[in-house]
């Protein structure tokens, strides 16, 4: 008899950003004359850097020539990209990572959602709370999360590690022993980060307890403080306990091109089985490789000109973050993040839930953000804004928000 995976039916509602899109579309339809500024979904607005576009054009020309045409890409990625990644993202920071430990993919979101497939169904996961929804939802789909309690917003088999203003948004070691620990640094949604010493605590804990850290470093390019590591492999012992995910989406504007990679060290084992081989088998069976032209574009990110142009784009977004931080502080808001991350995390006005604040901003300022409760129970009472808008829209959004929050003032 034909049946379905009933774990999908356990998921409450739809994906967070789908809900936001529907709300905004309905409001726009009812008020077509109003201009909405979107600072909700973390999508970039600057075009692909010229050096990368040039590489794309060259690769397209190659695909049109019988002598240089490429068919299926290697399952794990082309050597030219993997070597560039190792040299620039790891050796440059003193990390011992080899090219054959790099698995090129179509993005960190895919890998973060798929990695759980190589682990047993009984594994317990631990997540920071608030958390990027994909970590929990993908484990729900796999039947690993237990049952959902609408009253608390929690799953019975998920270990939640609250990250709030009271603990400086630094997760505490869990009382229950997890098998898989999801860490996102710099963090989405709070925009905060972990220092080397703070991250070392987790690496030591994972090695001592036999857990695996699933380390999402999608926002590594936005780190500005010296004491925040760019990779978990900067920490001694990480090769035996951690998988790292990286993305070109926010670093180089590849949200439309799709490119990322995952690092699985050969030293990392589970019950005597090397995870590197398991992920290689999963990757080769279910993924046909990122397109050649996109991998050439990724290689160009690491060229001298590409680096300069990409760093300039990141600097523009971080200037937006500064503008948002300054604007919200002058509006007497309590804010976090925005220093090592393009996300700003603010407390909602007293008496307002995060969705009520979403509706308030949409209706009164025509500005879209993301309700904190969508990231988990500890996100209630908070709200996320992104710095990925244009400079003009970011400044205008702050003017509007200052106005509705009670302190009108020109902002630039």
């Amino acid at each position: 008899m034909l049946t379905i995976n009933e774990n999908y039916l356990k998921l409450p509602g739809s994906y967070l950003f789908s809900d936001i899109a529907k709300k905004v579309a309905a409001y726009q339809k009812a008020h077509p004359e109003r201009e909405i500024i979107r600072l909700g979904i973390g999508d970039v607005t600057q075009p692909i850097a010229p050096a990368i576009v040039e590489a794309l054009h060259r690769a397209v020309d190659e695909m049109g020539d019988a002598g240089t045409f490429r068919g299926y890409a290697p399952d794990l990625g082309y050597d030219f990209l993997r070597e560039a990644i190792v040299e620039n993202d790891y050796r440059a920071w003193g990390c011992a990572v080899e090219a054959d430990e790099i698995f090129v993919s179509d993005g960190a979101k895919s890998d973060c959602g798929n990695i759980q497939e190589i682990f047993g169904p009984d594994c317990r996961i631990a997540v920071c709370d608030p958390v990027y929804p994909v970590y929990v939802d993908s484990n729900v789909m796999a039947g690993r999360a237990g049952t959902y309690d609408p009253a608390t917003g929690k799953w019975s088999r998920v270990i939640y590690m609250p990250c709030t203003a009271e603990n400086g948004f630094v997760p505490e070691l869990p009382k229950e022993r997890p098998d898989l620990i999801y860490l996102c640094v710099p963090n989405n949604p709070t925009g905060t980060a972990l220092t080397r010493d703070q991250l070392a605590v987790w690496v030591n804990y994972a090695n001592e307890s036999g857990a695996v850290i699933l380390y999402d470093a999608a926002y590594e390019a936005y780190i500005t403080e010296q004491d925040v590591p760019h990779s978990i492999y900067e920490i001694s012992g990480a090769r035996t306990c951690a998988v790292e995910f990286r993305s070109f989406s926010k670093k180089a504007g590849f949200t439309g091109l799709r490119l990322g990679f995952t690092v699985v060290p050969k030293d990392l084992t589970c019950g005597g089985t090397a995870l590197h081989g398991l992920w290689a088998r999963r990757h080769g069976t279910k993924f046909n490789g990122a397109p050649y032209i996109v991998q050439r574009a990724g290689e160009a990110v690491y060229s001298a000109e590409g680096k300069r142009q990409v760093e300039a784009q990141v600097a523009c977004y971080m200037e937006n973050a500064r503008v948002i931080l300054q604007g919200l502080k002058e509006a007497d808001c309590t804010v976090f993040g925005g220093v090592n991350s393009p996300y700003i995390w603010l407390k909602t006005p007293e008496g307002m839930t995060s969705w009520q604040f979403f509706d308030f901003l949409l209706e009164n300022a025509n500005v879209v953000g993301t309700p904190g409760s969508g990231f988990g129970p500890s996100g209630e009472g908070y709200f996320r804004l992104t710095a990925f808008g244009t400079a003009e829209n970011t400044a205008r959004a702050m003017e509007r928000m200052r106005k509705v929050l009670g302190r009108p003032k020109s902002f630039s």
Side-chain angles (χ1 to χ4, degrees), residues 224-246:
T224 62
E225 295 180 317
Q226 291 188 350
D227 199 29
V228 177
H230 286 254
S231 167
I232 195 169
Y233 303 117
E234 292 182 48
I235 307 300
S236 177
R239 283 185 56 87
T240 55
C241 70
V243 172
E244 182 166 288
F245 308 96
R246 291 285 191 98

Side-chain angles (χ1 to χ4, degrees), residues 114-130:
N114 293 329
I115 193 70
Q116 50 79 27
E117 290 186 20
I118 68 174
F119 297 102
D122 295 330
C123 288
R124 294 287 303 277
I125 71 166
V127 297
C128 295
D129 174 31

Side-chain angles (χ1 to χ4, degrees), residues 223 238 294 338 363 373:
I223 293 172
V294 177
E363 175 66 36
S373 60

